[in-house]
């Protein structure tokens, strides 16, 4: 027995002696390998690289030169470097390279995040009325940033309340957060908004009253396009009792087309899509979430207000996980600094404006004044729509000519059928809450028949306009599902 122990100890000593043989040196950008006795660790060196901010997730493999004597397939951790939203400067990232067989090496990858200055030009010359006291400059600028950075403007708006009729020039500074430049912004103040302003300028002026600063208006010969992500800054989804288990996700470049020349149509138009858009860029539907309406017969069984499907702000998320209104956008209106009865709240896609609960002159709207589509003849625009506390709440149809093939829709998220095929549970849910965290994570929680359910998502670190979802839905019998979904 003593001899067996001695032999085992000798083998162990021999093994330790052999495994300790060899050696080498490493610099900051060369390998520090570790490996098992039968597998050689990969050998790697790293080249420093320049990455333009806004390039998304850049693969690290292109900057590494690796070899593996065993021919193993290599993996990298982390596999990418994120460039979006990163300040320009020099960085170092430790990359771990694995061969899948127990061999690993590490290298220090040096990289430089670079930044290019944004560029802005004035796309149109605003002609505004003396009655307008606030001129939002971004509505009249065309800007680009090769790094994809969001721009800020100083000043964001021009106070014209103390200025007289005339032509003015104001120096505007715009910045991507690091680099700034300036331009001379020109505008004209006139005495009469209705005679001086084009329909395009009127739409721009109305959008300038919105509490959202990132909504942009551009015009061609036929349309004004109100472009937004359809995701307002006000509270969302809280107050809902009957949920469809959808959660709002920002859209990408939703462009709402408003006709610049309105013409009455031979018959009203009802569609299973938005009929117009609020000045904050959020689409507005009719009172139903069940398709086209019977315009002459109100149906309480599809009334989103009566069914408790809307949040405290008059909206909810649809089948495309898109936020939109079915009733008065009360939270948007509460956030507006200068809301009056003559303030335009939104626009129908036929080019007619949407006003609040009273006539623009402040007089009350009597029962029976509003016509089929919840509107009335107007001396300035030819026709106008109104909000109402009773059904149909907003326009339920369009009286003007509209090409329904041009109406925009937010498509469901791509990545799987489970988000696009959720089925509303029978009856109300309990204690639905929606929260937004500082890192962009959104969560909606609710109870149903004694069980708790949720859907939550965070912006993807690797893919632009993509989100990492986790949900426990009534529609899926409470199974926990995860996935990456993209716009």
């Amino acid at each position: 027995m003593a001899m067996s122990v001695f032999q085992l100890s000798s083998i162990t000593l021999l093994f330790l002696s052999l495994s300790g043989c060899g050696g080498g040196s490493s610099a900051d950008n060369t390998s520090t390998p570790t490996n098992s006795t039968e597998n050689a660790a990969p050998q790697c060196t790293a080249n420093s690289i320049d990455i333009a901010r806004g390039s998304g997730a850049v693969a690290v493999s292109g900057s590494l030169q690796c070899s593996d004597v065993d021919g193993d397939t290599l993996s990298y951790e982390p596999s990418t470097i994120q460039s979006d939203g990163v300040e320009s400067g020099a960085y170092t990232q430790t990359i771990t390279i694995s061969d899948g067989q127990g061999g690993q090496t590490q290298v220090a990858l040096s990289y430089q995040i670079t930044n290019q200055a944004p560029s802005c030009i004035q796309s149109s010359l605003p002609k505004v009325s003396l009655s307008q006291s606030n001129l939002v400059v971004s509505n009249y600028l065309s800007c680009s940033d090769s790094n994809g950075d969001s721009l800020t403007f100083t000043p964001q708006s021009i106070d014209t309340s103390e200025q007289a009729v005339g032509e003015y020039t104001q120096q505007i500074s715009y910045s991507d957060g690091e680099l700034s430049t300036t331009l001379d912004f020109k505008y004209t103040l006139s005495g009469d908004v209705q005679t001086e302003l084009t329909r395009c300028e009127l739409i721009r002026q109305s959008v300038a009253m919105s509490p959202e600063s990132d909504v942009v208006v551009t015009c061609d010969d036929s349309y004004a396009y109100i472009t937004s992500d359809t995701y307002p800054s006000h509270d969302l989804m809280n107050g809902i009792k009957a949920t469809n288990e959808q959660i709002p996700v920002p859209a990408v470049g939703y462009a709402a087309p408003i006709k610049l020349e309105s013409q009455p149509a031979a018959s009203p138009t009802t569609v299973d899509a938005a009929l117009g858009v609020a000045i904050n860029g959020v689409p507005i539907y009719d009172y139903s979430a069940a398709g086209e309406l019977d315009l002459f017969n109100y149906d309480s069984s599809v009334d989103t207000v009566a069914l408790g499907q809307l949040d405290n702000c008059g909206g909810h998320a649809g089948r495309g996980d898109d936020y939109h209104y079915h009733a008065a956008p009360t939270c948007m209106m509460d956030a507006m600094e200068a809301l009056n009865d003559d303030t335009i709240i939104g626009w129908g896609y036929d080019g007619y404006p949407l006003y609040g609960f009273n006539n623009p002159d402040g007089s009350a709207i009597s029962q029976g004044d509003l016509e089929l589509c919840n509107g009335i003849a107007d001396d300035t625009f030819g026709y106008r729509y109104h909000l109402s506390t009773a059904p149909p709440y907003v326009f339920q149809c369009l009286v003007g000519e509209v090409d329904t093939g041009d109406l925009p829709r937010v498509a469901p998220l791509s990545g799987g059928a489970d988000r696009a095929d959720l089925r509303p549970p029978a009856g109300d849910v309990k204690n639905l809450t929606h929260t937004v965290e500082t890192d962009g994570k959104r969560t909606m929680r609710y109870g149903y028949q004694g069980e708790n359910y949720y859907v939550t998502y965070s912006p993807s670190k690797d893919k632009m306009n993509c989100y990492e979802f986790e949900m426990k839905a009534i529609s899926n019998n409470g199974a926990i599902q995860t996935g990456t979904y993209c716009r």
Side-chain angles (χ1 to χ4, degrees):
M1 177 67 85
M3 179 62 70
S4 298
V5 172
F6 174 79
Q7 288 175 344
L8 178 60
S9 300
S10 299
I11 293 171
T12 303
L13 290 172
L14 178 60
F15 166 75
L16 294 174
S17 176
L18 290 174
S19 64
C21 293
S25 62
S26 63
D28 287 344
N29 65 338
T30 57
S31 306
T32 305
T34 62
N35 67 318
S36 65
T37 58
E38 297 181 357
N39 177 56
Q43 299 291 322
C44 294
T45 58
N47 295 326
S48 61
I49 54 175
D50 291 337
I51 303 173
R53 187 167 66 194
S55 300
V58 178
V60 302
S61 57
S63 61
L64 302 179
Q65 287 74 50
C66 296
S67 61
D68 188 270
V69 297
D70 304 301
D72 298 324
T73 300
L74 304 182
S75 62
Y76 309 91
E77 178 59 38
S79 61
T80 61
I81 293 172
Q82 181 58 251
S83 66
D84 295 344
V86 180
E87 292 185 3
S88 59
Y91 295 85
T92 300
Q93 174 70 57
T94 299
I95 310 297
T96 300
I97 302 95
S98 303
D99 62 9
Q101 306 298 322
Q104 287 187 346
T105 188
Q106 290 186 326
V107 296
L109 172 60
S110 300
Y111 62 97
Q112 184 86 20
I113 298 293
T114 60
N115 184 30
Q116 289 75 42
S119 174
C120 289
I121 61 172
Q122 186 167 352
S123 57
S124 63
L125 179 66
K127 296 180 180 179
V128 298
S129 167
L130 289 177
S131 62
Q132 179 182 347
S133 61
N134 188 43
L135 178 61
V136 179
V137 298
S138 59
N139 286 334
Y140 305 92
L141 301 180
S142 177
C143 298
S144 62
D145 186 89
S146 59
N147 304 103
D149 297 322
S150 298
L151 303 184
T152 58
F153 303 90
T154 305
Q156 293 184 357
S157 61
I158 299 172
D159 182 2
T160 61
S161 60
E162 302 297 327
Q163 295 178 334
V165 170
E167 296 182 355
Y168 294 87
T169 299
Q170 169 80 49
Q171 188 174 79
I172 303 297
S173 172
Y174 54 95
S175 172
D176 64 2
E178 290 183 351
L179 301 178
S180 301
T181 188
T182 61
L183 60 80
D184 289 332
F185 182 80
K186 301 181 184 298
Y187 61 97
T188 300
L189 285 182
S190 62
D192 188 347
V193 62
Q194 300 298 343
T195 59
E196 294 290 339
L197 297 184
T198 65
R199 181 63 63 89
C200 175
E201 294 294 335
L202 283 168
I203 294 172
R204 279 200 173 107
Q205 177 179 288
S206 69
V207 170
M209 301 292 289
S210 163
E212 308 294 332
S213 60
D214 58 349
V215 182
V216 177
V217 179
T218 57
C219 298
D220 59 22
D221 292 339
S222 301
Y223 293 97
Y225 301 92
I226 300 178
T227 302
S228 71
D229 63 4
T230 73
Y231 197 100
S233 57
H234 63 61
D235 184 49
L236 297 176
M237 305 302 285
N238 290 297
I240 289 176
K241 296 179 180 178
T243 181
N244 56 8
E245 302 195 282
Q246 312 286 160
I247 187 172
V249 178
V252 178
Y254 181 89
I258 313 300
K259 294 195 72 171
L260 295 177
E261 294 185 9
S262 303
Q263 297 293 333
S267 60
T269 298
T270 174
V271 292
D272 184 18
L275 295 171
V277 64
I279 58 172
N280 64 352
V282 176
I284 304 175
Y285 285 62
D286 58 41
Y287 70 82
S288 166
E292 296 183 8
L293 293 175
D294 177 351
L295 298 177
F296 299 95
N297 295 286
Y298 164 71
D299 186 355
S300 62
S301 69
V302 296
D303 184 339
T304 54
V305 176
L307 294 173
Q309 294 179 2
L310 303 186
D311 61 18
N312 299 325
C313 303
H316 70 173
R319 183 63 60 87
D321 286 304
D322 57 311
Y323 189 78
H324 55 259
Y325 301 121
H326 286 274
T330 52
C331 294
M332 180 199 79
M333 297 166 66
D334 290 342
M336 295 173 65
E337 295 182 357
L339 177 65
N340 298 299
D341 290 322
D342 63 352
T343 302
I344 294 175
I345 302 301
W347 294 87
Y349 286 143
D350 55 3
Y352 294 124
L354 171 68
Y355 286 87
F357 298 98
N358 294 322
N359 289 307
D361 63 5
S363 61
I365 298 174
S366 301
Q367 185 176 2
D369 285 353
L370 298 180
E371 300 171 350
L372 179 67
C373 295
N374 225 40
I376 194 171
D378 183 82
D379 292 338
T380 301
F381 296 97
Y383 198 86
R384 67 177 186 265
Y385 301 103
H386 275 279
L387 302 174
S388 60
T389 56
Y393 313 112
V394 290
F395 31 58
Q396 69 169 349
C397 50
L398 298 176
V399 302
E401 292 181 351
V402 61
D403 186 345
T404 57
D406 291 338
L407 301 186
R409 292 170 171 81
V410 179
L413 295 168
S414 63
D418 43 354
R419 288 301 307 160
D421 195 34
L422 296 174
R423 307 297 175 89
D428 293 346
V429 297
K430 303 294 184 182
N431 303 319
L432 187 147
T433 60
H434 178 270
T435 57
V436 181
E437 299 180 24
T438 56
D439 62 357
K441 182 179 181 180
R442 279 90 160 174
T443 302
M444 187 171 71
R445 301 184 184 277
Y446 43 97
Y448 183 70
Q449 296 182 351
E451 293 289 334
N452 293 322
Y453 298 89
Y454 66 90
V455 54
T456 185
Y457 72 86
S458 298
S460 172
K461 297 180 180 180
D462 299 326
K463 299 179 181 179
M464 186 75 73
N465 300 320
C466 293
Y467 303 89
E468 306 297 337
F469 267 79
E470 180 179 315
M471 66 178 181
K472 177 185 177 183
I474 304 167
S475 301
N476 298 314
N477 298 316
I480 296 178
Q481 295 176 294
T482 60
T484 302
Y485 297 89
C486 302
R487 282 295 186 201

